[in-house]
Structures are given as C-alpha cells and as structure tokens.
Amino acid sequence: DLSIPANYVAKWNGVSWTDAGGGIVPTNVVNTPLRLSFLGPPGSQQLYLWEESGYQVWRRVAGAWEAVAVPPELYTLRSLAVHDDGGGSTLYLAAGGIGIRKLVGTNWVSVLADDYDPKSIASFADAQGSFLYAAGLFADLPGYDGTSQLRRWNGTSWSAPLGSAQRIARVVGLGASPV
C-alpha cells in the first residue's frame, strides 16, 4: 500500500498528462491536504483520494472518482488501508473520534473503539499470516507503556507484536515508539 500527498491529480496516457481530479470537491476549501493512496492486494489495487485530517474519501472507478460514504461522526481522517482479515479485501480507516473501522457492505463496523487514538494503519502479510497494524495511543490495551505503540489485528482481536516489530514500525514511519 502506498499513500502520498496529492495537491493535484493527473494521469499519463503514454503521450501527455491529463487532469484526473475532476469531481473532487474538498469539504474545507481552505487548504485541505489531499492524499493519494494505492491500496489492495497485488493485481487488484485501487486508487483512493482522501482528505488528510478531513472527512471525505473517493475511489477511482472506471475512469471517474466515486465518493465513498464514511461514518457521519468521522471528523479527522488519518489513514486508510485495504486488508483481508479472512473475509476478503476490505477498506479500513483510522480517524479521530471513531478509532478504526472497516467497511462491510455499506456499513462501517468498529474494530477498535473510539477512545483509542490511532495515527496510522497498514496491512502486511508474512509467514505468520495477514495482519492489520495500527500505530497510536492504546492506553487500555495490554502492554501500553505511555508512548505511541504498534498493535496488530488478526481479524478478531488486537495484540502487541514483538519488540522487533515495534522497532521496524518506527523505521518505516508508522510512528510507534521503539521498544
């Protein structure tokens, strides 16, 4: 998964650049930063455009931007990820005020309560399986030490990964404090 700042969105057709941002109307016209994310498993990635610290998400479908309905109580979008927790690839979001939610059909289902403060999420698969990782403040979860930490979602519960995973998260920018 890849996410980058996106002040302007254009596409290359092999000869020239053309505007690909038509139809995007940020909610806060006063410099709302946009991010462009390429999310999903190899071979079925999708392009998303979203308001960083805002509350709108768009998905590129058949050459046009389609609005993704987000939870109405969302007010500070921080991160998006596409993750397969065993039920197929699903869009997840981390945001202030709502924790972490996953899109199931047209409903957003909570997987981490709103009293936690996730800063970033990412999907990663290795020999141990496929996990959704979250970096942030998790005061009531086991292993919390007062600093920003990394947590791992296996599809049913959250856990603290091994210390080396915390150090790797710090290096790759998930924001978790080293152990």
Side-chain angles (χ1 to χ4, degrees):
D1 295 349
L2 172 69
S3 180
I4 59 172
N7 295 329
Y8 303 98
V9 181
K11 67 179 179 178
W12 179 252
N13 66 10
V15 177
S16 62
W17 288 98
T18 58
D19 179 33
I24 303 300
V25 181
T27 54
N28 177 356
V29 294
V30 183
N31 300 319
T32 298
L34 296 174
R35 293 195 66 85
L36 190 64
S37 297
F38 191 60
L39 302 172
S44 62
Q45 294 96 343
Q46 288 191 298
L47 192 60
Y48 290 86
L49 186 66
W50 52 283
E51 293 180 318
E52 185 175 14
S53 299
Y55 54 91
Q56 286 197 97
V57 177
W58 300 271
R59 175 178 35 229
R60 191 82 172 164
V61 178
W65 292 103
E66 168 186 282
V68 175
V70 297
E73 62 276 23
L74 183 149
Y75 64 87
T76 307
L77 184 57
R78 293 194 176 125
S79 187
L80 291 178
V82 170
H83 175 68
D84 184 350
D85 62 9
S89 293
T90 303
L91 182 63
Y92 285 74
L93 61 78
I98 66 168
I100 297 175
R101 299 216 180 154
K102 75 176 186 174
L103 186 59
V104 179
T106 58
N107 298 311
W108 288 94
V109 177
S110 178
V111 296
L112 184 68
D114 60 1
D115 52 345
Y116 297 109
D117 191 15
K119 304 293 185 192
S120 185
I121 56 176
S123 180
F124 184 74
D126 61 17
Q128 295 179 353
S130 178
F131 299 97
L132 180 71
Y133 288 87
L137 300 174
F138 307 108
D140 295 338
L141 294 180
Y144 180 69
D145 67 0
T147 63
S148 183
Q149 293 186 318
L150 186 67
R151 290 293 183 260
R152 182 171 65 188
W153 172 252
N154 65 9
T156 57
S157 63
W158 290 94
S159 64
L162 301 175
S164 60
Q166 290 275 27
R167 289 189 288 277
I168 292 167
R170 182 69 170 162
V171 171
V172 299
L174 276 175
S177 298
V179 176

